[in-house]
C-alpha cells in the first residue's frame, strides 16, 4: 500500500490515538475502526462496499471515469463519495 493511502492511514491512526489519549475512544474501538478500512490500489481489488471514498488527483475526467466505473461494479446501495477541494461537486 504505497503512497497516499499509506500516508492517509498513518494520519488516521495518529488522530485516533489522540482520541484514545483524551478518553474519547478505547483502543478496542480504534482497532475496530481501523479493521473496517481497506484501501486499495486498483479498482479490481475492491470488494463489495457500503461506502467508497475516492481520493484521486483533482482531475474532473479522472474522477468521473472512476466514479462511473465504481457505480457499475458496486451494488446500488453503495455510497460513492468524492474527496475534492477544488472541483465543483455538481460537476
Amino acid at each position: 500500500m504505497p503512497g497516499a493511502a499509506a500516508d492517509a492511514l498513518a494520519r488516521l491512526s495518529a488522530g485516533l490515538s489522540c482520541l484514545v489519549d483524551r478518553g474519547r475512544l478505547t483502543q478496542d474501538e480504534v482497532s475496530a475502526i481501523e479493521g473496517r478500512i481497506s484501501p486499495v490500489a486498483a479498482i479490481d481489488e475492491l470488494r463489495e462496499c457500503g461506502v467508497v471514498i475516492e481520493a484521486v488527483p483533482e482531475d474532473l475526467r479522472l474522477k468521473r471515469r472512476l466514479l462511473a466505473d465504481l457505480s457499475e461494479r458496486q451494488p446500488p446501495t453503495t455510497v460513492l463519495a468524492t474527496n475534492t477541494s477544488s472541483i465543483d461537486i455538481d460537476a
Side-chain angles (χ1 to χ4, degrees):
M1 170 185 34
D7 293 343
L9 284 178
R11 287 191 310 275
L12 175 65
S13 182
L16 292 171
S17 291
C18 286
L19 293 174
V20 170
D21 293 344
R22 294 180 187 162
R24 306 281 313 260
L25 291 175
T26 67
Q27 189 56 52
D28 287 343
E29 290 170 320
V30 167
S31 295
I33 291 167
E34 292 175 338
R36 291 190 299 265
I37 298 171
S38 303
V40 298
I43 198 167
D44 293 335
E45 298 172 18
L46 194 61
R47 63 182 189 265
E48 189 174 300
C49 300
V51 177
V52 176
I53 304 170
E54 69 75 19
V56 298
E58 296 291 282
D59 176 323
L60 182 57
R61 287 186 305 170
L62 176 60
K63 286 181 179 287
R64 282 183 173 168
R65 188 175 47 223
L66 177 60
L67 290 169
D69 199 7
L70 286 166
S71 70
E72 291 175 7
R73 294 170 183 251
Q74 291 293 312
T77 55
T78 299
V79 175
L80 300 178
T82 184
N83 178 20
T84 184
S85 59
S86 64
I87 296 175
D88 181 1
I89 196 67
D90 291 329

